[in-house]
Amino acid sequence: METVLDIQNLHKVYKNGRGVRKISLSVAPGDVVGLLGPNGSGKTTIMKCIMGLCHGDSGSIRIFGHDVETDVERSLAKVGGLIEQPALFDYLSARANLEMAARYYPNVDAARIEHVLRMVHLENYQKEKTGRFSLGMKQRMGLALALLSEPELVILDEPTNGLDIEGTVEVREIIRRLAAERGISFLIASHLAPELEKCCNKVAIIHEGELLAFETMEEALRLQPSLEDYFLSKVKEKRGSVLI
């Protein structure tokens, strides 16, 4: 099976000692892979390296066979992403923000913009300035921007941040449907184990910059009653002592 994303021994350490060390994982077509770890564990660093926003000290990242370091344009041609906060022009409407982004893609037309607005349930707010949006609505805009170019790999950093229960469920259903029906792959970072448990088929446990486990969700839940318990068991193994 073709590998969409292949990370081998990614090592990126900042001057303050934080970062990630020797991370290896892969994503196949249709995979929804969760990066589970607390804030500051290195999840965003991994995603920034994938998107070419920072460079690893060593190791390699290949997307659809193309190396991100040496062939960034082709490696990211089929990738959409939302890392940290959505890049929005607050003085523009939701639709105008998408039209602005569409200029960077040759095949995104008005029909595609309408489609993604409906996907994230913002069609009724498309004429409103995004500066007036709630945090949850801005997250929906971020998801719309990530999906705009019809990517085959989508990188999402805390995509349900600020969403209410209904919004969280809707985002989860969008991800699962696109993966199942269109074979789109997702890499999703979150510190919320229950959310990843409900939408991912694989999980990578990240803690203090280290990969403690990379497993199918089925196997993780066979070993422990919940993903939260699985995460805690792996941290406990690392520390070699009982968690308090």
Side-chain angles (χ1 to χ4, degrees):
M1 181 181 290
E2 178 190 8
T3 300
V4 173
L5 170 66
D6 183 50
I7 303 174
Q8 293 295 326
N9 296 314
L10 175 64
H11 193 88
K12 172 67 176 179
V13 178
Y14 301 100
K15 291 181 179 180
N16 61 7
R18 298 175 70 175
V20 293
R21 296 168 176 82
K22 305 300 181 183
I23 302 293
S24 295
L25 58 88
S26 61
V27 178
D31 270 350
V32 182
V33 177
L35 293 180
L36 176 60
N39 294 331
S41 60
K43 305 186 301 297
T44 299
T45 295
I46 295 171
M47 292 188 154
K48 284 183 174 180
C49 288
I50 292 170
M51 298 294 290
L53 300 176
C54 67
H55 301 287
D57 302 325
S58 61
S60 67
I61 301 174
R62 301 184 71 85
I63 304 175
F64 297 105
H66 303 293
D67 191 287
V68 173
E69 291 284 337
T70 60
D71 195 359
V72 65
E73 185 172 343
R74 284 201 293 175
S75 65
L76 297 178
K78 301 177 183 179
V79 180
L82 168 59
I83 297 179
E84 296 180 331
Q85 299 298 319
L88 300 174
F89 296 97
D90 288 348
Y91 58 90
L92 294 179
S93 69
R95 185 181 186 88
N97 267 280
L98 292 172
E99 289 172 343
M100 181 79 71
R103 297 179 182 179
Y104 295 96
Y105 306 110
N107 300 316
V108 176
D109 56 15
R112 178 61 185 173
I113 292 172
E114 290 283 353
H115 182 64
V116 295
L117 283 167
R118 290 194 300 272
M119 285 176 65
V120 299
H121 300 285
L122 286 176
E123 66 272 26
N124 293 331
Y125 305 96
Q126 60 180 289
K127 295 181 180 180
E128 289 191 22
K129 293 182 178 180
T130 56
R132 299 172 185 167
F133 279 8
S134 66
L135 176 59
M137 293 173 74
K138 288 181 178 180
Q139 285 298 105
R140 291 170 189 256
M141 273 299 300
L143 182 59
L145 288 166
L147 295 172
L148 186 61
S149 65
E150 298 189 68
E152 295 180 29
L153 171 64
V154 181
I155 309 296
L156 299 175
D157 190 5
E158 304 282 359
T160 59
N161 183 36
L163 295 179
D164 57 20
I165 294 174
E166 289 183 329
T168 298
V169 172
E170 287 169 358
V171 168
R172 186 194 310 150
E173 289 178 347
I174 290 169
I175 291 168
R176 294 175 66 175
R177 185 175 69 251
L178 291 175
E181 296 178 0
R182 300 191 56 187
I184 297 175
S185 305
F186 289 84
L187 183 66
I188 305 171
S190 180
H191 63 281
L192 302 174
E195 283 309 310
L196 294 183
E197 183 177 330
K198 292 173 183 174
C199 70
C200 298
N201 69 310
K202 295 178 182 176
V203 62
I205 305 299
I206 309 293
H207 189 263
E208 295 180 347
E210 296 182 18
L211 178 66
L212 303 189
F214 181 47
E215 192 57 84
T216 65
M217 192 64 69
E218 181 180 10
E219 179 63 13
L221 297 180
R222 186 188 69 81
L223 296 171
Q224 296 290 339
S226 70
L227 183 56
E228 184 177 90
D229 290 309
Y230 182 74
F231 171 83
L232 292 173
S233 72
K234 291 302 175 182
V235 175
K236 178 181 176 180
E237 287 177 13
K238 177 188 175 184
R239 292 178 175 171
S241 61
V242 178
L243 290 176
I244 299 176

